[in-house]
Amino acid sequence: DSGVTQTPKHLITATGQRVTLRCSPRSGDLSVYWYQQSLDQGLQFLIQYYNGEERAKGNILERFSAQQFPDLHSELNLSSLELGDSALYFCASSPGTEGYGYTFGSGTRLTVV
Amino acid sequence: AQSVTQLGSHVSVSEGALVLLRCNYSSSVPPYLFWYVQYPNQGLQLLLKYTSAATLVKGINGFEAEFKKSETSFHLTKPSAHMSDAAEYFCAVSFQTGANNLFFGTGTRLTVIP
């Protein structure tokens, strides 16, 4: 157990729908990162939050949004889902904003049908 | 631009043989370098990291990597492969300045032949 908790583990939904993925960081970690892993794009950085504030943004679609709450858990919202959004979505956390690498959760596998 | 290149999407070794997984990076600022392992249907686990201290970094499960600035490389090695090493391995880079998101290579799938 890495200490980073992601729910749900699996999600199957239809095109056009909206889903929310949840991440609880390791105790004491202030930064949360979201990554997407797909067969064609590999591991892509989506977005980072640090202590409730957006810190960095990567290849995140406008249909996707995220937030980090006061208790430091984070949610990734995916809307108007398309077949191509099917992927593994990972959350990671780290103590601060230094680039020392971070701890990943076990991921949420999203299947859009 | 900052990037990571992993040479060889698939590597097969015999059990007991040397494991060598290659990673080259491109960076205009001092990098932090990482190797992660992903077992089937699991998340990514940190094997080791280079953060500008010793250039030879020892990680978990007998793996090590050497940072070679002149070659812009950070290859992962293990002297003797074990069946349990079969997995996908990702090299990643982040930077000592600016945003610290990781840039990942495309991964190398390691197969260990009994």
Side-chain angles (χ1 to χ4, degrees):
Chain A
D1 181 10
S2 68
V4 178
T5 304
Q6 290 189 247
T7 57
K9 290 193 183 306
H10 302 276
L11 199 49
I12 301 175
T13 190
T15 54
Q17 295 298 305
R18 172 190 167 94
V19 297
T20 297
L21 313 184
R22 182 188 169 101
C23 170
S24 293
R26 256 183 353 170
S27 177
D29 285 356
L30 298 179
S31 276
V32 170
Y33 311 78
W34 287 97
Y35 282 79
Q36 179 194 60
Q37 185 180 32
S38 61
L39 283 174
D40 53 344
Q41 298 286 332
L43 271 158
Q44 298 276 321
F45 168 68
L46 295 179
I47 197 164
Q48 176 200 358
Y49 278 83
Y50 173 72
N51 204 21
E53 307 257 335
E54 184 183 302
R55 175 83 176 178
K57 201 176 245 190
N59 299 321
I60 188 166
L61 300 172
E62 285 191 13
R63 300 183 285 108
F64 296 179
S65 65
Q67 54 185 325
Q68 186 180 28
F69 295 86
D71 66 353
L72 301 177
H73 91 271
S74 178
E75 293 181 355
L76 179 67
N77 300 296
L78 314 176
S79 62
S80 303
L81 285 167
E82 302 174 358
L83 295 177
D85 298 326
S86 296
L88 258 174
Y89 291 85
F90 286 108
C91 168
S93 72
S94 70
T97 58
E98 66 286 345
Y100 294 157
Y102 23 84
T103 303
F104 281 83
S106 56
T108 294
R109 183 173 293 280
L110 173 66
T111 303
V112 182
V113 298
Chain B
Q2 291 84 358
S3 66
V4 168
T5 302
Q6 289 185 245
L7 295 175
S9 58
H10 290 88
V11 170
S12 293
V13 299
S14 298
E15 191 174 16
L18 171 72
V19 176
L20 171 61
L21 304 182
R22 299 178 187 274
C23 173
N24 288 88
Y25 69 92
S26 171
S27 172
S28 56
V29 298
Y32 294 148
L33 293 157
F34 310 86
W35 277 98
Y36 283 86
V37 61
Q38 185 178 30
Y39 298 101
N41 300 313
Q42 293 189 28
L44 289 93
Q45 181 183 6
L46 180 66
L47 275 177
L48 49 80
K49 61 184 176 184
Y50 166 77
T51 55
S52 74
T55 56
L56 182 62
V57 181
K58 293 188 184 300
I60 62 171
N61 301 339
F63 285 94
E64 63 182 39
E66 186 172 7
F67 173 68
K68 292 187 177 180
K69 186 177 179 180
S70 60
E71 299 177 10
T72 60
S73 69
F74 191 59
H75 302 330
L76 181 70
T77 61
K78 181 173 180 178
S80 177
H82 192 274
M83 296 298 294
S84 61
D85 294 328
E88 185 127 22
Y89 292 80
F90 292 91
C91 182
V93 62
S94 70
F95 306 100
Q96 298 181 24
T97 57
N100 66 327
N101 53 288
L102 291 176
F103 294 87
F104 282 90
T106 50
T108 297
R109 183 168 299 278
L110 176 67
T111 300
V112 182
I113 303 166

